[in-house]
């Protein structure tokens, strides 16, 4: 039976895109906790924080929520799916032990090694293994890659060409100075050369639906320069993941991952995000995440023709994709990913062309109902089209309509893919 009451947990662009996808399914009542001014237009926002597991549980019981979809990693790693499942409440998202694929990089690396899944060669070192860690670092050529084991709000990966800097960073991680407890174990791994792709599957045990593969743009600056961000834009499907490579990813990476989780007694349920490096020797896993990516969700969900499959337990129909492309440009606050101001009025949303999707990521309304900035990534503007150029043209037409003081965005989202698509 189709569920009627659906709760989406989270408050960013990904959750707005989830609510938007659900709003196209007839007969649903959608709630979003805590949501944002974008989700408010399509769902009922509920003022409960995404990490308030007891609060969310009480709400789900009271409102007879049939399915809860968890957007961000923090509540999943903290065990929201365990708490809901124990009460018999269906939830789309992995239990804590399966969310460790994202929650612990050391766990993920050991899991991949044991399951024969291609990933960069690595070592794992704890606080009392500094000497060994420094020695191990010297077994690699630069650039050096250091990763905090635990969740570090997307900032836990450090890459440097300088050995002395790597040594210093390693000490600051292991001392707890840089990432606190999350850095009490450090993964040191070989730098992989290649192009990155984001692959998403909706998983139920060993069954899965593969969504459109996407490419994120992590760096702040045009031409992939400057600091890493949460993602400045994305498009899908990426031409860099050919059907041959995708087949390798399915059989050598995705399926062994799902089987490995089942054989550990922690079958995976929910969205699985595999971050891939497409190297000359084939695809490697950079990392797993236990959720949809953001901004990737803002292109992957609009391309999903039958998102009602999200709410089904057993898939009798295949995933269907809308033909063509989706492209999303993120509008960020001046200063992001460093310090930035909030509370700046946002203008022009009503002038965005009707065929362009606007997803709210970091916005709020003041007491007069005016829309203000409230985060580093403020809005995601998604265009769709038969070609990637058309999707980008629509997205940038939407961008041109919006203004807020200090608004920053990249003008080159998807540009390399256009180059690749037009070369025979
Ligand atoms: P993460 O936070 O794990 O997504 O890592 C941030 C970024 O670091 C990734 O998107 C990659 O660009 C880069 N990265 C992580 N691990 C490696 C690696 N072994 N080789 C090259 N780049 C990497
Ligand atoms: N866009 C990268 C992430 O969601 O982690």
């Amino acid at each position: 039976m189709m569920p009627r009451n659906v709760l989406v947990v989270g408050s960013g662009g990904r959750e707005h895109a989830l609510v938007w996808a659900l709003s196209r399914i007839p007969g649903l009542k959608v709630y979003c906790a805590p949501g944002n001014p974008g989700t408010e237009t399509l769902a009922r926002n509920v003022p409960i924080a995404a990490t308030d597991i007891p609060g969310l549980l009480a709400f789900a019981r009271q409102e007879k929520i049939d399915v809860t979809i968890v957007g961000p990693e923090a509540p999943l790693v903290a065990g929201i799916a365990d708490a809901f499942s124990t009460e018999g409440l269906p939830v789309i998202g992995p239990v804590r032990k399966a969310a460790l694929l994202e929650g612990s990089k050391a766990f993920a690396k050991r899991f991949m090694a044991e399951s024969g899944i291609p990933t960069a060669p690595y070592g794992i070192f704890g606080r009392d293994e500094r000497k060994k860690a420094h020695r191990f670092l010297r077994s690699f050529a630069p650039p050096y890659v250091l990763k905090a084991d635990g969740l570090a709000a997307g900032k836990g990966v450090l890459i440097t060409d300088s050995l002395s800097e790597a040594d210093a960073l390693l000490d600051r991680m292991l001392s707890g100075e840089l990432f606190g407890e999350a850095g009490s174990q450090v993964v040191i791994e070989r730098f992989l050369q290649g192009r990155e792709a984001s692959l998403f599957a909706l998983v139920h045990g060993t069954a899965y639906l593969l969504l459109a593969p996407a490419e994120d743009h992590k760096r702040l600056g045009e031409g992939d320069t400057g600091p890493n961000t949460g993602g400045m834009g994305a498009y899908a499907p990426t031409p860099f993941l050919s059907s041959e490579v995708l087949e390798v990813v399915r059989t050598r990476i995705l399926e062994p991952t799902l089987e490995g989780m089942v054989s550990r007694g922690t079958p995976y349920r929910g969205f699985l995000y595999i971050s891939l490096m497409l190297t000359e020797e084939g695809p490697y896993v950079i990392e797993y995440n236990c959720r949809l990516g953001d901004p990737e969700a803002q292109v992957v969900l609009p391309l999903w023709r039958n998102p009602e499959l999200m709410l089904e337990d057993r898939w009798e129909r295949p995933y269907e994709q809308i033909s063509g492309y989706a492209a999303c440009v993120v509008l960020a606050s001046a200063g992001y990913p460093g310090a930035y101001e909030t509370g700046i009025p946002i203008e022009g949303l009503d002038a965005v062309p009707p065929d362009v999707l606007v997803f709210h990521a970091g916005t709020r309304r003041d007491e007069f109902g005016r829309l203000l900035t409230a985060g580093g990534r403020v809005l995601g503007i998604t265009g769709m089209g038969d070609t990637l150029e058309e999707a980008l043209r629509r997205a940038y037409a939407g961008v041109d309509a919006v203004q807020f003081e200090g608004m920053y965005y990249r003008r080159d989202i998807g540009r390399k893919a256009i180059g690749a698509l037009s070369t025979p």
Side-chain angles (χ1 to χ4, degrees), residues 14 73 102 154 198 200 216-218 229-234 273 287 289 291-297 377:
R14 166 182 49 216
E73 65 278 13
E102 174 165 5
S198 305
F200 303 96
D216 190 8
H217 294 64
K218 285 228 167 72
T229 69
M232 294 303 297
Y273 165 177
E287 64 170 13
N289 294 299
R291 52 176 172 83
L292 283 172
D294 202 1
E296 293 98 316
R377 293 189 291 172

Side-chain angles (χ1 to χ4, degrees), residues 130-311:
R130 273 189 201 216
K131 266 209 182 122
K132 259 167 71 187
H134 286 286
R135 231 181 297 132
F136 186 76
L137 196 55
R138 284 157 174 74
S139 68
F140 292 123
Y144 302 99
V145 182
L146 305 173
K147 301 186 173 185
D149 172 51
L151 292 186
K155 300 197 165 72
V157 176
L158 303 173
I159 300 178
T160 172
D161 280 322
S162 145
L163 181 60
S164 58
E165 194 188 352
D167 277 330
L169 290 170
L170 180 59
D171 283 336
R172 291 174 63 204
M173 284 169 101
L174 286 174
S175 71
E177 182 197 328
L178 274 181
F179 304 110
E181 261 316 292
S184 63
Q185 281 195 93
V186 174
V187 175
I188 301 176
E189 67 178 35
R190 190 169 84 201
F191 183 83
L192 297 170
Q193 204 91 47
R195 180 167 278 279
E196 288 180 44
S198 305
L199 191 68
F200 303 96
L202 180 59
V203 175
H204 200 166
T206 53
Y208 63 87
L209 304 174
L210 212 49
L211 312 189
E215 186 177 6
D216 190 8
H217 294 64
K218 285 228 167 72
R219 304 288 209 96
L220 180 69
E222 282 158 24
D224 297 324
T225 54
N228 258 318
T229 69
M232 294 303 297
Y235 68 88
T238 166
F240 298 111
L241 206 59
S242 66
S243 52
E244 295 80 50
V245 180
L246 198 56
E247 196 48 32
V248 176
V249 174
R250 287 166 87 110
T251 54
R252 303 250 352 251
I253 294 174
L254 178 57
E255 289 167 9
T257 300
L258 306 189
E259 283 153 19
M261 293 313 279
V262 168
S263 68
R264 275 174 167 65
T266 53
Y268 198 91
R269 174 74 176 120
F271 289 103
L272 178 66
Y273 165 177
I274 306 181
S275 175
L276 295 166
M277 188 70 87
L278 309 174
T279 75
E280 273 175 7
E281 300 98 70
Y284 278 66
V285 177
I286 301 175
E287 64 170 13
Y288 294 106
N289 294 299
C290 61
R291 52 176 172 83
L292 283 172
D294 202 1
E296 293 98 316
Q298 301 176 50
V299 293
V300 164
L301 293 171
L303 285 172
W304 192 352
R305 192 187 294 282
N306 51 357
E308 62 276 11
L309 294 188
M310 241 191 289
L311 306 172

Side-chain angles (χ1 to χ4, degrees), residues 15 97 124 134:
E15 288 75 26
K97 282 189 174 157
I124 299 168
H134 286 286

